[in-house]
Amino acid sequence: LSGSLAWARPYAQIRGANDDIRAAVVGFHGHGKTHINAYVKTDGVRMVALCDADSDVLDWGVKNLKGRNQNVQAYRDVRKMIENKDIDIVSTATPNHWHALVTVWACQAGKDVCVEKPVSHNIWEGRKMVEAARKYNRVVQADLDMRSNNGLRKAVDYVQCGELGKILIVHGFCYKRRKSMGKVSGPQPIPKSIDYNLWCGPADDGPLMRKNLHYDWHWVWETGCGEVGNNGPHQLDVCRWVLGQKGLPRRVMSIGGRFGYDDDGETPNTQIAVYEYENAPIIYEVRGLPEKPDSSNMDTFNCTSSSGVNMKSGKSSPSPVTGVVVQCEGGWVDLGQRIVYDNKSREIKRFESDSIGPQPNFIKAVRSRKLEDLRTDILEGHLSTCLCHMGNISHRIGAQASPDEISDAIKRVDESGEAFNRCREHLAQNGIDLAKTKATLGPWLTMDSEKERFTNRRARQANRLLKRDYRKGFVIPEEV
């Protein structure tokens, strides 16, 4: 990634170091507000456009920015916004199914892009995003903001320099309360403020079969990627980063289910994904239920390795418990807290938090045209997001299995049995017996990292989920 990018700006002139960078944000019912606020606060950046398929959201954004002395053009159709020659950068925080299309179109129009996590809705389109960025010489940042923390970077360097010996296993986790999204008996009315055709974009525009159009799209496969795809890119990016891996794991499998309620959600609220890399495995855990039914607190991470090392992270509270814990030969590191421990869990070192923020970092790279200035280039974001998709694909082609069948399937990967046992105890605390309410056991899938395709006996079924069907007018081409 070294070297500078040639300018590919077919419309606007090359901008100097002192010129304003003109920014547009598409999709800001949720996290897009963070992008807007970051650009407004960044010297040399001027908001010039907003886009959202919801007119209520769009009107609010325009009014809000006007009150901050930022006059912007408003668009409902992102295609029209991207045609604007006076836009230099585009930030997309739309639902997942729109991320790739916005990125590819913006690159083709000569604009730099900051794209929210997960960068893609499927593996195939993620690779097309990388191809578009390279072909049109664009700065494209994956907004996986963990890499923006300099303290975390120092902690990762500490592990990679071998200060604690060989890495044995990497644990990632996200314990975040997710309540039921409810259950409907038939199609629901589309909010009057929504242009449903534009909101759906590349996804199917069939009847709305859930109570809430907004946010709950995360929990249906047509538009979302579940919790593994929602928060997982953050933690799995750090897992892959600390392992020093530049490709995909050779194998993956999933254990999971939607437990504790019966609703219109399709994605798991409880899941374990196991990834086999050559140097060490990654075990990633998702929990959407609290520590017990009468509590609003979430579990903490509390793992005892086969060698007797007890590793803990987080505190019991209603707030999410997320992080990455790396076990090495000579101790372990809580990367979320940036604290190093010996094998008796005595603290031996810590790194202070120091974050520059993903949007300021993006702007720095836009000005310099140097990819090495970008903390999380689209290629890194694509590869880390692939891990999320791989775990979900294993789950989606899996079948219900007994606890014994699950234990037998995961026994060859160190500590995966321990993770499953902790998950089973967590569910039992919530009144769920996996012997009666079975989890879905996904098959082990073998990945060809270079081709980004599965290769084993379940490959045909798994590879069907590498790409989606795109609606006319919202198609990512084979040649971007």
Side-chain angles (χ1 to χ4, degrees), residues 46 53 98 134 139 160 168 194 231 233 279 338 355 406 419 443 473:
R46 177 162 48 93
W98 259 107
R134 300 299 184 255
V139 173
Q160 291 180 337
L168 301 178
I194 297 284
N231 276 297
N279 53 340
R338 303 165 305 283
S355 182
I406 293 172

Side-chain angles (χ1 to χ4, degrees), residues 118-139:
V119 299
S120 62
H121 186 258
N122 59 67
I123 290 175
W124 177 85
E125 70 182 23
R127 176 53 62 177
K128 295 302 167 183
M129 296 166 79
V130 177
E131 291 175 5
R134 300 299 184 255
K135 180 176 180 178
Y136 298 101
N137 298 316
R138 294 295 89 204
V139 173

Side-chain angles (χ1 to χ4, degrees), residues 2-43:
S2 62
S4 298
L5 290 166
W7 280 91
R9 188 177 297 278
Y11 306 131
Q13 293 180 348
I14 297 174
R15 310 202 70 75
N18 297 318
D19 293 328
D20 280 350
I21 291 174
R22 300 163 298 184
V25 174
V26 52
F28 52 95
H29 183 263
H31 199 57
K33 296 183 181 72
T34 304
H35 292 235
I36 293 170
N37 290 335
Y39 293 136
V40 169
K41 295 176 182 177
T42 301
D43 291 339

Side-chain angles (χ1 to χ4, degrees), residues 345-369:
S345 295
R346 296 175 297 202
E347 181 179 332
I348 58 178
K349 190 176 183 64
R350 70 169 58 207
F351 301 90
E352 296 302 320
S353 178
D354 175 20
S355 182
I356 62 173
Q359 278 75 40
N361 173 240
F362 172 55
I363 296 302
K364 178 183 177 180
V366 167
R367 289 199 181 280
S368 73
R369 314 310 298 167

Side-chain angles (χ1 to χ4, degrees), residues 93-383:
T94 59
N96 300 355
H97 64 290
W98 259 107
H99 288 178
L101 204 51
V102 171
T103 301
V104 170
W105 282 346
C107 286
Q108 290 173 333
K111 304 179 193 305
D112 299 316
V113 184
C114 177
V115 56
E116 260 299 332
K117 52 78 184 170
V119 299
S120 62
H121 186 258
N122 59 67
I123 290 175
W124 177 85
E125 70 182 23
R127 176 53 62 177
K128 295 302 167 183
M129 296 166 79
V130 177
E131 291 175 5
R134 300 299 184 255
K135 180 176 180 178
Y136 298 101
N137 298 316
R138 294 295 89 204
V139 173
V140 180
Q141 173 177 268
D143 198 33
L144 306 180
D145 52 10
M146 301 291 285
R147 294 199 190 210
S148 297
N149 191 306
N150 290 322
L152 176 58
R153 296 183 74 84
K154 292 176 182 177
V156 169
D157 288 344
Y158 180 89
V159 174
Q160 291 180 337
C161 286
E163 296 290 341
L164 293 177
K166 179 184 176 182
I167 296 175
L168 301 178
I169 190 166
V170 182
H171 294 272
F173 48 92
C174 177
Y175 304 159
K176 186 171 184 176
R177 183 71 174 108
R178 298 294 187 187
K179 296 182 179 180
S180 172
M181 61 187 282
K183 196 170 183 67
V184 301
S185 58
Q188 301 298 294
I190 307 300
K192 292 181 180 180
S193 62
I194 297 284
D195 184 322
Y196 193 55
N197 177 60
L198 292 177
W199 191 92
C200 292
D204 180 66
D205 62 348
L208 177 62
M209 299 301 293
R210 60 180 183 276
K211 289 184 177 181
N212 299 313
L213 174 73
H214 288 306
Y215 202 80
D216 286 346
W217 55 261
H218 282 95
W219 322 129
V220 292
W221 295 119
E222 186 67 18
T223 51
C225 306
E227 194 68 88
V228 166
N230 183 39
N231 276 297
H234 289 307
Q235 292 89 45
L236 285 168
D237 183 56
V238 175
C239 292
R240 191 178 62 83
W241 179 22
V242 76
L243 282 178
Q245 291 293 333
K246 298 299 183 182
L248 301 180
R250 57 190 178 188
R251 293 210 313 165
V252 64
M253 64 88 65
S254 168
I255 306 157
R258 195 165 183 86
F259 299 108
Y261 40 73
D262 178 25
D263 66 5
D264 290 318
E266 300 172 342
T267 64
N269 66 359
T270 304
Q271 191 172 2
I272 300 171
V274 183
Y275 304 90
E276 275 193 359
Y277 275 109
E278 291 184 2
N279 53 340
I282 296 170
I283 299 177
Y284 185 66
E285 305 174 43
V286 161
R287 297 183 189 179
L289 299 177
E291 60 182 7
K292 50 188 176 182
D294 58 350
S295 173
S296 61
N297 289 347
M298 299 305 294
D299 286 327
T300 59
F301 179 78
N302 189 346
C303 168
T304 301
S305 72
S306 56
S307 58
V309 178
N310 183 230
M311 297 169 285
K312 297 180 180 181
S313 181
K315 61 181 180 179
S316 181
S317 79
S319 299
V321 176
T322 64
V324 173
V325 167
V326 185
Q327 185 187 1
C328 304
E329 293 173 315
W332 59 282
V333 184
D334 183 339
L335 287 178
Q337 298 299 314
R338 303 165 305 283
I339 303 175
V340 182
Y341 299 91
D342 64 17
N343 279 328
K344 294 186 178 180
S345 295
R346 296 175 297 202
E347 181 179 332
I348 58 178
K349 190 176 183 64
R350 70 169 58 207
F351 301 90
E352 296 302 320
S353 178
D354 175 20
S355 182
I356 62 173
Q359 278 75 40
N361 173 240
F362 172 55
I363 296 302
K364 178 183 177 180
V366 167
R367 289 199 181 280
S368 73
R369 314 310 298 167
K370 296 178 180 178
L371 286 183
E372 58 263 35
D373 285 343
L374 204 57
R375 290 291 173 87
T376 315
D377 172 67
I378 185 58
L379 177 58
E380 299 293 344
H382 164 62
L383 293 172

